[in-house]
């Protein structure tokens, strides 16, 4: 079983609005409402890929009820802690004429200490039947930035793989708790290592730095694939996976699809190269769809053939 944790779950409203202009009145030509938040998106993709998954996290108020109902309607197993404050709705406007996407994320509920402890208990209980636990997305208001780090530590003694996909201070702290995998995008990785990347070499060095901070494996995604410091037969190796970038319909959630693909393949016990190829293919496939986490598994498998993989040799050791 794979558990996905979404502490800031949401209802995601995606609107397609041609010629979107500020200060004007518009009509949508397409719209879709789905349960969202990164962990929920990852659960959706894992389910589509045929993997056993339970989505957990916090859900509050009428929007929280809606999130749980939508998941249940999609046959995604879920077990959320109910909180007093109302879960958020995130709205994204996609202009099909320009491909531009505008996102407005609500502030989201504050969570109390007692609700956090209820969640901790639930997670430890659920994790007993799990092989992988994925923490994804931002933290809700009111919790300490080290929450992911402390949850990763709680799971340390259990024989499972911990994965963290977040940014800022929660990521910085989580990396130090030595999770098995972290998967920042370029911006998140730049923030973590504290400088911008100007070249392929900068990016490779950064991924190795992130692993040196504590993560067993560090994968940095970018629109043309990923850099990954991964373990191959116990040895740390730096790999570069590349795919020809496409004109995306909706880019949002492609990192979530990447991670779901990578973890689905890992869960099946595939070799690392296969896992990276499949992750990149799933990320690429998902850019063709409006709505985060949606994917066509057959098309994703076909795209694996378009992913080029290479081993990166770095000129010198870091630090
Ligand atoms: N334009 C594109 N064409 C093809 N594949 C893409 C494109 N953009 C993203 N991808 C795929 O999606 C993966 C993740 O991309 P990216 O690093 O941009 O995600 P992200 O910023 O984490 O997205 P999000 O957090 O919204 O899910 C990449 O590894 C790649 O496989
Ligand atoms: Mg991401």
């Amino acid at each position: 079983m794979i558990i996905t944790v979404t502490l800031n779950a949401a209802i995601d409203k995606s609107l397609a609005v041609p010629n979107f202009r500020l200060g004007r009145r518009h009509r949508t030509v397409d719209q879709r409402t789905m349960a969202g938040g990164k962990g929920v998106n990852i659960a959706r993709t894992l389910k589509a890929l045929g993997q056993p998954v339970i989505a957990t996290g916090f859900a509050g108020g009428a929007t929280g009820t809606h999130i749980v109902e939508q998941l249940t309607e999609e046959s995604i197993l879920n077990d959320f802690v109910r909180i007093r404050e109302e879960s958020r709705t995130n709205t994204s406007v996609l202009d099909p004429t320009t491909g531009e996407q505008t996102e407005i994320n609500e502030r989201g509920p504050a969570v109390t200490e007692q609700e956090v402890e209820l969640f901790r208990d639930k997670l430890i209980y659920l994790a007993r039947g799990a092989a992988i636990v994925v923490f994804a997305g931002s933290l809700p208001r009111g919790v300490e930035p080290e929450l992911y780090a402390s949850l990763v530590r709680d799971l340390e003694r259990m024989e499972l793989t911990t994965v963290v996909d977040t940014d800022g201070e929660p990521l910085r702290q989580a990396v130090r708790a030595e999770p098995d995998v972290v998967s920042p995008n370029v911006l998140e990785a730049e923030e973590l290592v504290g400088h911008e990347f100007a070249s392929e070499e900068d990016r490779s060095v950064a991924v190795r730095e992130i692993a040196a901070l504590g993560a067993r494996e560090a994968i940095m995604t970018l629109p043309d694939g990923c850099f990954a410091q991964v373990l191959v037969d116990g040895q740390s190796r730096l790999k570069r996976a590349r795919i020809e970038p496409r004109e995306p319909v909706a880019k949002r959630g492609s990192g979530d699809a990447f991670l779901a693909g990578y973890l689905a393949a890992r869960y099946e016990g595939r070799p690392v190269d296969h896992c990276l190829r499949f992750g990149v293919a799933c990320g690429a496939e998902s850019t063709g769809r409006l709505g985060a986490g949606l994917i066509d598994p057959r098309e994703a498998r076909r795209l694996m053939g378009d992913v080029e993989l290479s081993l990166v040799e770095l000129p010198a050791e870091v630090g």
Side-chain angles (χ1 to χ4, degrees):
M1 185 62 76
I2 303 173
I3 311 286
T4 71
V5 173
T6 318
L7 298 184
N8 222 343
I11 285 293
D12 276 344
K13 198 176 243 192
S14 308
L15 310 173
V17 181
N19 305 307
F20 180 66
R21 296 257 297 278
L22 290 178
R24 294 285 182 87
R25 176 182 298 172
H26 301 88
R27 278 178 203 285
T28 59
V29 292
D30 190 7
Q31 71 182 68
R32 175 170 264 159
T33 302
M34 292 200 308
K38 288 190 175 296
V40 164
N41 301 339
I42 292 167
R44 176 175 297 115
T45 309
L46 284 167
K47 159 87 186 357
L49 296 173
Q51 303 302 339
V53 59
I54 298 176
T56 183
F58 294 121
T63 308
T65 304
H66 193 184
I67 292 169
V68 168
E69 282 172 0
Q70 292 251 322
L71 286 171
T72 306
E73 210 165 284
E74 291 182 69
S75 308
I76 297 170
L77 294 179
N78 58 84
D79 190 350
F80 279 77
V81 168
R82 301 298 306 209
I83 53 172
R84 205 179 49 80
E85 289 197 15
E86 172 110 12
S87 295
R88 59 190 179 141
T89 298
N90 294 334
T91 306
S92 86
V93 177
L94 177 75
D95 184 341
T97 47
T98 62
E100 253 183 344
Q101 199 166 355
T102 308
E103 292 182 29
I104 301 166
N105 291 352
E106 290 180 8
R107 196 159 77 117
V111 172
T112 66
E113 224 168 278
Q114 199 192 6
E115 289 165 340
V116 168
E117 289 320 305
L118 279 175
F119 175 75
R120 195 186 297 276
D121 290 346
K122 186 187 286 289
L123 180 65
I124 290 169
Y125 172 74
L126 289 173
R128 286 199 277 172
I132 301 176
V133 175
V134 191
F135 300 94
S138 57
L139 291 176
R141 284 188 298 127
V143 309
E144 299 294 331
E146 69 258 17
L147 182 57
Y148 283 144
S150 91
L151 294 171
V152 166
R153 290 199 180 96
D154 284 345
L155 303 180
E156 200 175 67
R157 262 177 288 275
M158 300 169 100
E159 284 204 2
L160 47 78
T161 299
T162 51
V163 183
V164 180
D165 183 5
T166 186
D167 63 354
E169 195 52 28
L171 174 61
R172 185 179 308 282
Q173 306 240 6
V175 169
R176 290 203 214 110
E178 303 186 355
D180 293 290
V181 182
V182 293
S183 62
N185 64 18
V186 176
L187 273 176
E188 293 158 353
E190 287 179 335
E191 199 192 355
L192 182 59
V193 302
H195 58 85
E196 287 177 17
F197 313 142
S199 63
E200 286 277 291
E201 191 183 324
D202 283 1
R203 286 184 269 272
S204 343
V205 171
V207 172
R208 200 158 72 177
E209 268 180 69
I210 294 170
L213 291 173
R216 245 161 239 120
E217 299 191 343
I219 305 177
M220 180 172 81
T221 58
L222 54 172
D224 75 348
C226 69
F227 283 88
Q229 182 83 37
V230 285
L231 293 171
V232 184
D233 303 323
Q235 303 276 354
S236 198
R237 291 272 179 273
L238 183 55
K239 304 255 179 174
R240 173 73 162 109
R242 262 206 195 82
I243 194 164
E244 191 61 43
R246 336 154 105 196
E247 196 56 59
V249 174
K251 232 193 76 67
R252 182 178 183 195
S254 56
D256 307 333
F258 168 92
L259 193 53
Y262 177 74
L263 295 175
R266 259 183 90 130
Y267 187 77
E268 287 180 345
R270 306 280 187 177
V272 118
D273 285 8
H274 178 108
C275 299
L276 291 171
R277 256 183 228 285
F278 193 51
V280 168
C282 285
E285 210 291 320
S286 78
T287 62
R289 289 158 208 286
L290 185 67
L294 297 175
I295 195 170
D296 175 349
R298 277 181 50 197
E299 185 57 19
R301 273 182 214 111
R302 202 190 57 75
L303 278 175
M304 279 179 82
D306 297 349
V307 182
E308 278 172 35
L309 211 74
S310 54
L311 187 67
V312 183
E313 304 286 355
L314 278 179
E317 276 297 316
V318 182

